[in-house]
Every structure is written in structure tokens, then in C-alpha cells.
Amino acid sequence: MSKSKRPGPFGPSSNTSKPAAPGKSGRGAPPKAAKGKAPAAPREKKPVAEAPLDEKLQKVLARSGLGSRREMERAIEAGLVKVNDRPAHLGDRVTPDDAIFFKGERVQVRTQVSRQRVILYNKPEGEICSRQDPEGRRTVFENLPALQGERWISVGRLDYNTSGLLLFTNDGELANKLMHPSSVIDREYLVRIQGAVDDEMKRQLVEGVLLDDGVARFTDIVEGAGEGRNRWFYCVVMEGRNREVRRLWESQGVKVSRLKRVRYGNIFIPSHVRVGQWIELNDKEIRDLLLTAGIERPKVSRLTPDERKRMERQEKRLRAGVGKRSPAAKQKKPRAPKDS
């Protein structure tokens, strides 16, 4: 994918077509009846269908900030959810009158998220994307800002040895939409390859390679810096399969020595957000992200004056190079090309 084809950050185009001009009779004036014809009878308005009172259980749990829909489906299957003191099952639907329990604690059901929040985290190598690790390794959640009555939900995952762009949100529905294959959101990675890479190998990787979980492919591969047997490449995938980028390259007999995600949809890592730091998206950026996810007419709650000041202070700290960084980011790593 050449740089000239890359979309600008947070900038999908919108439909700007103009509405039809009003008739000569003026706004609100009834149209004149044709001579010799009786005026047409007014059309009856069709009754508007009311929204159902019940919703899928996993959708309600996800909206409450407990995790993505997929995570909640796994929790239901594992017997961690009860509805009105009975074990829940996949396919259950609930109403506002039902009492829902998650891991023994009652869930405070919300009809909607208080305010959609999204943060971008520049993940370092050496952190996992789980909330807890039996081996005691650092997790990406340890360096995120605290939430009151909510929790951050990871939009996809990155491997322990993979760095780069990782999104978090407090809205489980948004997280599910961003991760679902039907949204067709591309992810771009910068990868350093050890081994010989020729045009035939790149052609096979673009056309498709059979992996253990089916056929996978890159939609684009562009050469970066480097010479000989240690070269950098930009590659794009449309799915979020486990270790997909590494497995694709390794299927060709070469080794991935460094891997960094540099783009998710229309979002890039800002230059002032160093490895191990995070920044919160503003209203416009969240609205554009919703459009990227296929959510039409997105409704985004505006920031309060205090929230806006807090975000401005955070960005000033990052630009000044004094923002807090994850301990894992302080370990010295080989530098990627400057245009990453």
C-alpha cells in the first residue's frame, strides 16, 4: 500500500448532497390541484413500530462495560452469568425488570453508555492483552486511565512480542462492531523480515495462503527500508486472526523479527504518542471512527469543559515529552524506520 493511497487520519468523506429546493408555493403551502381534478386525499401515516423491550443478554452485558460481545458469550457459556438467580444460556433475552448477575455480582444495567470514550495506546513489546496473567507479566490495562463504574474493552489484541496501535473503549457495542469481520476494517503493520523476499513470494501472499484456520492473505505489501536479508515491509490485512501476520510470512520460510501495528482503519499513531503512552480521541475522531465501523448517524455526547481541559493537558504533556510511559516501553529496542 503506497503512502499516497493511505487515508488521512480521522477523515472519511461524508455525503454532502443538497436537499431538493422547495416548491414555488412556499414552505408549508399545500400544492395546487390540477383543473378538473379533485384534490388527492391525505395519506394516512403508517404506525411506527415500537422498539422491543427485550434484548440479547450478551448485548446488554457488553453495553454495561463488562467486555465485548464475544467475551460475554464466552462468559455465558462458562456459567458466569445468571438471570433472576438461574443460570443463563446463549440466546437468552432480558428486559429492564430482570436481575442480571456476573460472577456473583449484580450488573448495573445501562440503557446506553454514559459517554462513548476511546483511547489509543501505543503498546510496547512485553505486555499482554489479558486483564490478568498467571505468569505475572505486565498487561496493557495497567497503564490505562481509571474508569468509574466502567471498564476499558480492548478492540482486538496484539501479541506479547508485537507493538503498536491498540484501541480501547468503554462501549462494548462499539468494540464488537470494530472487531466484527462484516465491518471490513483494514489493519496495517510494519514488519521486519529475516530472509530473502522476492516478487513471487509477495504475489503468493497477496493471492492467498492456506493456513491452519483457512485461507488468509495480505491485501497489499509495500517495501520499506533495509537491505539484504533484513528488510522492512508494510502489509495490510482485513481480519484480526490470531498471529495472522506472523503466520503468513512464516508460511514462506522467512522469519518475523519485529512487528508493529501502525494503523487501524483510518487511525494512525500520532507522532507525539511514544511507546507505552496513550491519548484519548476527541468528539470528531470518535464520530469518524463510528462511521468507519459502519454506524450511520452516530450520536456522540459532547465533552464537558472539565473533560476537554483534561484531554488538552494530557496532549500537552505528551508533546512536551513528559507523559507517563509503561515500564515495558523503557527497555531498549531496535528502532523501526522513521516513517512508521
Side-chain angles (χ1 to χ4, degrees):
M1 181 176 184
S2 61
K3 296 179 183 178
S4 61
K5 294 182 180 179
R6 293 186 187 178
F10 314 119
S13 60
S14 58
N15 185 6
T16 57
S17 58
K18 296 182 180 180
K24 293 182 180 180
S25 56
R27 180 182 295 179
K32 295 181 180 180
K35 292 183 179 181
K37 293 184 180 180
R43 294 182 180 179
E44 295 183 1
K45 292 185 178 180
K46 295 182 180 180
V48 179
E50 296 183 358
L53 296 176
D54 60 336
E55 293 183 282
K56 290 183 178 180
L57 176 58
Q58 62 266 31
K59 180 178 179 180
V60 174
L61 291 170
R63 188 171 58 227
S64 297
L66 296 173
S68 66
R69 276 204 204 180
R70 293 179 182 177
E71 291 174 329
M72 293 301 96
E73 289 172 357
R74 290 194 289 268
I76 293 171
E77 291 178 329
L80 303 178
V81 183
K82 289 186 177 181
V83 177
N84 300 327
D85 294 327
R86 65 169 181 80
H89 302 281
L90 279 180
D92 284 354
R93 302 183 73 88
V94 294
T95 70
D97 296 328
D98 290 318
I100 305 174
F101 299 87
F102 179 70
K103 296 182 179 180
E105 296 184 5
R106 183 159 183 175
V107 177
Q108 298 297 321
V109 177
R110 292 177 291 168
T111 56
Q112 59 183 4
V113 175
S114 55
R115 183 176 75 80
Q116 285 172 325
R117 297 180 64 185
V118 180
I119 59 176
L120 180 155
Y121 180 51
N122 192 348
K123 176 190 175 299
E125 296 179 18
E127 290 184 351
I128 64 172
C129 291
S130 300
R131 296 186 185 275
Q132 296 179 343
D133 181 42
E135 301 179 21
R137 295 173 295 181
R138 285 192 58 84
T139 78
V140 293
F141 294 93
E142 294 179 33
N143 203 42
L144 303 184
L147 285 176
Q148 295 294 330
E150 298 176 317
R151 65 194 306 189
W152 291 114
I153 302 167
S154 173
V155 179
R157 305 166 72 90
L158 291 177
D159 297 334
Y160 181 76
N161 292 322
T162 301
S163 62
L165 192 156
L166 192 59
L167 296 178
F168 294 86
T169 178
N170 64 334
D171 186 351
E173 286 299 295
L174 174 58
N176 180 73
K177 192 71 175 177
L178 289 170
M179 290 184 289
H180 201 277
S182 62
S183 297
V184 194
I185 299 177
D186 53 346
R187 294 95 158 153
E188 185 173 1
Y189 291 81
L190 177 63
V191 54
R192 187 173 69 183
I193 299 298
Q194 291 182 350
V197 178
D198 55 22
D199 292 339
E200 176 61 20
M201 181 187 298
K202 290 188 288 184
R203 184 189 64 79
Q204 291 181 1
L205 289 170
V206 171
E207 290 184 354
V209 175
L210 180 61
L211 303 178
D212 293 340
D213 53 354
V215 177
R217 68 186 186 93
F218 293 126
T219 57
D220 201 1
I221 301 175
V222 175
E223 292 191 27
E227 297 179 355
R229 297 178 65 84
N230 286 279
R231 297 161 62 189
W232 292 90
F233 294 89
Y234 290 96
C235 49
V236 179
V237 294
M238 303 299 293
E239 298 178 282
R241 298 193 207 178
N242 183 37
R243 299 174 60 85
E244 182 177 11
V245 175
R246 292 182 185 273
R247 290 189 294 142
L248 273 168
W249 282 107
E250 290 170 357
S251 72
Q252 304 302 302
V254 294
K255 182 181 179 181
V256 175
S257 60
R258 290 288 306 283
L259 183 60
K260 177 181 180 180
R261 183 154 68 190
V262 296
R263 179 170 63 85
Y264 194 100
N266 60 334
I267 299 181
F268 294 82
I269 303 175
S271 59
H272 56 278
V273 180
R274 296 183 296 169
V275 176
Q277 294 181 331
W278 59 268
I279 190 170
E280 187 162 353
L281 273 60
N282 60 35
D283 295 341
K284 181 183 182 304
E285 293 164 348
I286 293 177
R287 188 177 295 107
D288 290 343
L289 183 62
L290 294 174
L291 291 172
T292 300
I295 301 175
E296 298 181 0
R297 299 179 182 178
K299 295 181 180 179
V300 179
S301 301
R302 292 187 176 275
L303 294 168
T304 64
D306 289 341
E307 290 172 332
R308 193 176 300 279
K309 289 180 181 178
R310 172 176 52 78
M311 291 177 62
E312 290 175 353
R313 288 196 299 268
Q314 168 72 359
E315 184 167 356
K316 285 182 180 179
R317 287 195 296 267
L318 295 177
R319 290 187 180 278
V322 296
K324 181 181 177 183
R325 300 177 70 192
S326 165
K330 298 177 182 179
Q331 301 175 8
K332 291 185 178 181
K333 302 286 184 182
R335 290 187 177 181
K338 292 182 179 180
D339 59 352
S340 62

